[in-house]
């Protein structure tokens, strides 16, 4: 081809469809889609300057990919291997490093660190870091879990999830629990407020000024909260809920298996009120009770960074958070079906058994 003269591009129907698909494919690399547009425009008879103006690129780029396609066809649109130093570690060593990480422990330790593994395999810590990052390995992290041993686990999950996804008509679904021993904590020195370039600072030590307990009932549909500190026992809190729920609605209450919830006075209280229906969560499955999510938000947004010099100040802050929540309620959206949850637990159990086989 002569210097300065754009090579002509001719496409058959198959190649044209393939190029067009690259420009429309969801998730395709943008650079590849752009190159396909360049070739299609060139096949339409446009010059490099016209293509550059149309696509918002430089003329050199248009010419480069026109020529690459003319020389090598579709293969010419893909990036070539970049120059650089060869890898210092081969595939076999990478596989060995992964096996060591997963199947062994360092002498005298519970898990590998970057430096201990680097010393073990004779490569730099940065090399180990790249391998671990590529394969999603994080030996320094650990998470906890606890599987419920409730013999009625499946039935209870289906019952409660059914209430979340398809609540009964003319009824209210309440998630109830107690957040006990909430501490009124004061810092030993004043806080240093946040300012540009510096986060808020506080002392690590604190003074205790007593504790309180919060009974809370979350309306699953509305996202509102009924809360009380004055209830010295669970039955009095149930009385408060009863006063707040319209008399024409049935009440489906979801709560855990805490002994306080199953005493004879509580059973008698429910027996005298046929509109109340009790649904117990499986043991060791607090995650299925949506009020626990409210408690987590309360802690994160109102308590964790708060300064309280008395129980009264603490209870005032909790009350303010509940009032703000009720003024603009946002119900939690439950998305998992019971079948989804049970299938996920089954997969986890099978992986656990395989790992310990």
């Amino acid at each position: 081809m002569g210097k300065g003269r754009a090579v002509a591009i001719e496409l058959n129907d198959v190649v044209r469809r393939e190029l067009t698909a690259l420009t429309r494919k969801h998730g395709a690399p943008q650079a590849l889609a752009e190159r396909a547009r360049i070739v299609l425009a060139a096949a339409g008879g446009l010059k490099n300057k016209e293509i550059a103006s149309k696509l918002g690129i430089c003329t050199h780029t248009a010419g480069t990919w026109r020529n690459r396609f003319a020389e090598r066809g579709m293969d010419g649109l893909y990036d070539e291997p970049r120059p650089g130093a060869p890898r210092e570690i081969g595939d076999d060593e990478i596989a060995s490093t992964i096996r060591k990480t997963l199947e062994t422990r360092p002498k005298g330790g519970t898990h590998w660190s970057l430096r201990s593994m680097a010393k073990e395999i004779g490569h730099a810590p940065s090399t180990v870091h790249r391998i671990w990052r590529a394969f999603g390995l994080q030996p320094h992290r650990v998470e906890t879990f606890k599987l419920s041993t409730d013999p009625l686990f499946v039935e209870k999950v289906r019952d409660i999830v059914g209430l979340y996804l398809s609540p009964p008509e003319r009824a209210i679904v309440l998630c109830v629990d107690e957040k006990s021993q909430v501490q009124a904590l004061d810092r030993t020195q004043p806080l240093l407020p946040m300012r540009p370039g510096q986060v808020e600072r506080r002392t690590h030590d604190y003074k205790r000024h007593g504790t309180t307990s919060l009974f809370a009932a979350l309306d699953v549909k509305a996202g509102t909260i009924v809360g009380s500190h004055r209830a010295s026992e669970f039955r009095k809190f149930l009385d408060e809920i009863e006063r707040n729920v319209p008399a024409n609605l049935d009440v489906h209450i979801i709560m855990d298996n805490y002994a306080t919830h199953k005493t004879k006075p509580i059973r008698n209280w429910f027996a005298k009120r046929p509109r109340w229906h009790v649904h117990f969560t499986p043991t060791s499955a607090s995650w299925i009770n949506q009020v626990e999510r409210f408690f987590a938000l309360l802690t994160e947004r109102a308590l964790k960074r708060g300064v309280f010099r008395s129980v009264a100040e603490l209870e005032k802050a909790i009350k303010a958070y509940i009032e703000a929540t009720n003024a603009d309620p946002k119900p939690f959206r439950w998305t998992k079906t019971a079948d989804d949850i049970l299938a996920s637990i089954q997969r986890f159990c099978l992986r656990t058994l395989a790992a310990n086989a």
Side-chain angles (χ1 to χ4, degrees):
M1 69 191 71
K3 184 177 180 180
R5 181 181 298 176
V7 63
I9 300 294
E10 295 183 1
L11 305 174
N12 59 39
D13 291 341
V14 174
V15 175
R16 185 180 295 277
R17 284 197 296 269
E18 189 173 351
L19 289 168
T20 302
L22 283 177
T23 66
R24 298 174 179 175
K25 184 178 179 182
H26 178 71
Q30 290 302 306
L32 188 59
E34 181 180 88
R35 295 163 195 172
R37 293 188 187 98
I38 291 171
V39 175
L40 288 170
L46 297 183
K47 298 179 180 179
N48 290 339
K49 287 185 178 180
E50 294 171 327
I51 295 173
S53 177
K54 179 180 178 181
L55 300 181
I57 58 177
C58 68
T59 305
H60 175 74
T61 299
T64 296
W65 295 108
R66 176 199 285 264
N67 294 337
R68 285 273 295 271
F69 182 84
E71 294 170 2
R72 285 175 262 175
M74 291 296 297
D75 290 342
L77 300 185
Y78 293 87
D79 290 320
E80 297 175 331
R82 297 180 181 273
R87 286 191 306 175
E88 295 181 358
I89 184 168
D91 291 343
D92 290 342
E93 285 185 284
I94 292 174
S96 176
T97 302
I98 295 170
R99 282 196 298 271
K100 285 181 180 293
T101 305
L102 295 175
E103 300 173 4
T104 68
R105 295 180 179 180
K107 293 181 180 179
T110 59
H111 62 280
W112 292 101
S113 67
L114 287 174
R115 293 188 181 277
S116 62
M117 180 57 74
K119 184 178 180 181
E120 176 75 12
I121 67 173
H123 286 279
S126 58
T127 300
V128 177
H129 177 66
R130 286 195 295 272
I131 295 172
W132 284 354
R133 184 174 59 182
F135 288 88
L137 299 175
Q138 298 177 310
H140 66 287
R141 294 189 60 189
V142 65
E143 296 179 349
T144 60
F145 74 93
K146 184 176 178 63
L147 292 175
S148 174
T149 57
D150 194 321
L152 297 178
F153 178 81
V154 174
E155 291 83 354
K156 291 180 178 180
V157 167
R158 293 193 182 280
D159 177 38
I160 293 173
V161 172
L163 288 174
Y164 291 158
L165 298 180
S166 299
E169 296 182 1
R170 301 183 60 79
I172 184 172
V173 179
L174 299 176
C175 292
V176 173
D177 203 359
E178 176 187 3
K179 186 175 178 62
S180 60
Q181 298 297 307
V182 186
Q183 298 187 79
L185 301 180
D186 181 19
R187 297 293 156 179
T188 57
Q189 297 178 28
L191 293 174
L192 296 178
M194 176 180 62
R195 61 184 184 183
Q198 179 178 296
V199 300
E200 179 182 280
R201 296 180 178 179
R202 60 181 182 178
T203 60
H204 72 277
D205 52 343
Y206 49 82
K207 298 178 182 178
R208 292 187 178 90
H209 294 286
T211 63
T212 188
S213 294
L214 171 67
F215 287 93
L218 168 69
D219 184 337
V220 169
K221 184 176 182 180
T224 54
I225 297 290
V226 176
S228 176
H229 298 287
R230 291 182 296 277
S232 58
E233 58 183 57
F234 184 59
R235 189 188 62 77
K236 290 183 179 180
F237 181 58
L238 292 177
D239 290 337
E240 186 166 346
I241 297 175
E242 174 83 343
R243 289 192 295 270
N244 281 274
V245 176
N248 63 330
L249 295 180
D250 278 0
V251 183
H252 290 264
I253 181 172
I254 298 169
M255 56 186 181
D256 62 24
N257 294 269
Y258 191 54
T260 304
H261 300 162
K262 296 183 175 182
T263 61
K264 190 173 187 299
I266 297 300
R267 295 199 306 270
N268 292 340
W269 191 94
F270 285 126
K272 294 176 182 177
R273 294 164 177 80
R275 72 169 182 148
W276 283 71
H277 310 275
V278 179
H279 307 262
F280 288 110
T281 63
T283 56
S284 304
S286 60
W287 49 267
I288 205 170
N289 192 333
Q290 291 194 48
V291 77
E292 298 294 340
R293 186 71 189 108
F294 165 76
F295 286 153
L297 291 176
L298 168 67
T299 300
E300 181 66 27
R301 297 177 179 177
L303 304 181
K304 187 176 180 180
R305 292 169 58 175
V307 174
F308 310 107
R309 297 177 177 85
S310 67
V311 171
E313 283 189 14
L314 173 61
E315 293 183 348
K316 183 178 179 181
I318 293 174
K319 182 181 178 182
Y321 181 79
I322 292 175
E323 290 176 349
T325 298
N326 291 341
D328 185 23
K330 292 181 175 59
F332 301 122
R333 184 166 173 258
W334 192 274
T335 59
K336 294 285 188 180
T337 66
D339 287 338
D340 291 335
I341 294 170
L342 296 174
S344 177
I345 293 173
Q346 181 184 34
R347 290 193 298 270
F348 178 82
C349 291
L350 291 175
R351 288 198 305 270
T352 303
L353 291 173
N356 291 277

